[in-house]
Amino acid sequence: MLDKLASIEERYEELGQKVMDMEVINDRELFQKLMKEHSDIEPIVFKYREFVKTRDGLEEAKEMLRDKLDDEMKELVKEEIKDLETSLEAIEEELRLLLIPKDPNDHKNVIVEIRGGAGGDEAALFSGVLFRMYSRYAERNRWKVEVMSTNEIGIGGFKEVIFMIKGKGAYSRLKYESGVHRVQRVPETEASGRIHTSTSTVAVLPEAEDVDIDIQEKDLKIDIYRSSGAGGQHVNTTDSAVRITHIPTGVVVACQDERSQIKNREKAMRILKTRIYDKMLTDQAAEIAEERKGQVGTGDRSERIRTYNFPQGRVTDHRINLTLYKLDAFVDGDLDEMIDALITSDQAEKLGSE
């Protein structure tokens, strides 16, 4: 590990020199690329330098013990050695975490797709609860929410809702939310007070950037049609709804929320790119992820990941066996305790598989 850290420090110094070169400064794309790499490895280098300084201090303190010291001084040096050894151990652990390969999508915006599963209207209402939960979480992080497509049931629920969350680190925090979410509660329409169980499926996809994926116009089949469903007087008056099919993959996206055909097409293309990019990532991961089966961050959307039990006021994540008794706060967007625990578990898995 120390050899690897020394070579990272060497690369950091090399990058520092390169970004001051006028030829590099004038090449904007290269300059930005090198600056990003410099910025990415900086925390590792600073922590490594702290490690070296602490290790050298420890060696000096141990050397002092070999000198002739009075009893009081000897005790002070022993105490210092104990503190430095504790610090060194903590820094080493931090370095191990910093050396875990970063997910290249962590900095990206996300597109979240929520669909009602088993449970009919109650599942659709729960999808509405989840949509509000993620919207409130985005607000807490000062991220922006943009609704892309909805299929409402008219009583505050969604058969499907697709929205984008824009903000630094959105994917790094929300990627663990993919999967089946189960709710246990008494529906408002239930006269006998029986608890019903319903499910909604959440998919969290990193937004595809133009550099990630190139879609050819010839590979697209675009259908224009008249909007349908709840939407007021403007619905069914113009052919503004757009359905785009990507022929090579068979991925289909439809958008009808906007009155403008151009805006619906733009939103549909963004969702399409993201779904195709997600399919590429999933296919790649399937080839190499066999040894990480069952891990926190697999993102398998058929896996039941969490239960929201309203009568008992608890939320349980089944991947890490964590139960929080603060359901009201949780569905109001207070997700950090759960997400932090998921990240910690994922990091431990990665460290263990090294």
Side-chain angles (χ1 to χ4, degrees), residues 277-323:
Y277 180 58
D278 180 63
K279 188 177 187 304
M280 280 167 45
L281 292 177
T282 304
D283 291 347
Q284 286 167 10
E287 294 171 17
I288 59 172
E290 203 53 32
E291 75 276 8
R292 291 181 70 199
K293 194 179 280 182
Q295 183 197 303
V296 166
T298 54
D300 181 354
R301 293 190 281 278
S302 64
E303 176 194 4
R304 192 192 77 201
I305 63 165
R306 195 175 293 151
T307 296
Y308 303 70
N309 186 303
F310 278 79
Q312 294 177 20
R314 63 175 169 84
V315 55
T316 300
D317 197 288
H318 305 293
R319 295 162 296 179
I320 55 174
N321 295 319
L322 174 63
T323 297

Side-chain angles (χ1 to χ4, degrees), residues 126 128-143 145 163 165 173-174 177 306 308 310 315 324 326-340:
F126 180 50
V129 169
L130 292 176
F131 170 62
R132 183 180 179 276
M133 179 178 85
Y134 293 126
S135 299
R136 292 284 291 122
Y137 184 64
E139 271 177 43
R140 288 167 184 255
N141 286 281
R142 297 184 179 178
W143 296 336
V145 176
F163 55 102
I165 296 179
R173 301 289 295 170
L174 290 170
E177 295 302 301
R306 195 175 293 151
Y308 303 70
F310 278 79
V315 55
L324 302 176
K326 55 172 195 179
L327 183 57
D328 288 346
F330 193 85
V331 295
D332 194 42
D334 185 6
L335 309 184
D336 277 331
E337 186 178 352
M338 183 72 79
I339 289 173
D340 287 341

Side-chain angles (χ1 to χ4, degrees), residues 115-120 122-124 197-200:
R115 292 180 181 84
E122 179 60 15
T197 298
S198 309
T199 62
S200 289

Side-chain angles (χ1 to χ4, degrees), residues 203-261:
V204 179
L205 319 176
E207 183 193 14
E209 297 168 357
D210 289 336
V211 291
D212 296 324
I213 187 164
D214 180 30
I215 294 177
Q216 304 292 320
E217 197 73 26
K218 64 181 174 61
D219 291 336
L220 299 176
K221 178 176 180 280
I222 300 173
D223 299 306
I224 308 298
Y225 59 100
R226 201 157 279 192
S227 299
S228 61
Q233 60 182 345
H234 297 284
V235 171
N236 297 325
T237 58
T238 58
D239 292 339
S240 60
V242 176
R243 183 189 300 108
I244 303 178
T245 305
H246 185 248
I247 297 160
T249 59
V251 175
V252 181
V253 174
C255 261
Q256 64 171 32
D257 282 25
E258 301 286 346
R259 294 174 197 166
S260 156
Q261 184 189 123

Side-chain angles (χ1 to χ4, degrees), residues 15-27 31:
L15 288 165
Q17 292 299 318
K18 281 186 175 179
V19 294
M20 290 192 287
D21 187 320
M22 282 310 296
E23 208 172 303
V24 173
I25 291 168
N26 291 329
D27 184 339
F31 178 74

Side-chain angles (χ1 to χ4, degrees), residues 4-17:
K4 187 177 181 180
L5 288 163
S7 66
I8 291 171
E9 184 181 37
E10 203 175 300
R11 176 62 177 161
Y12 179 77
E13 295 294 343
E14 183 191 336
L15 288 165
Q17 292 299 318

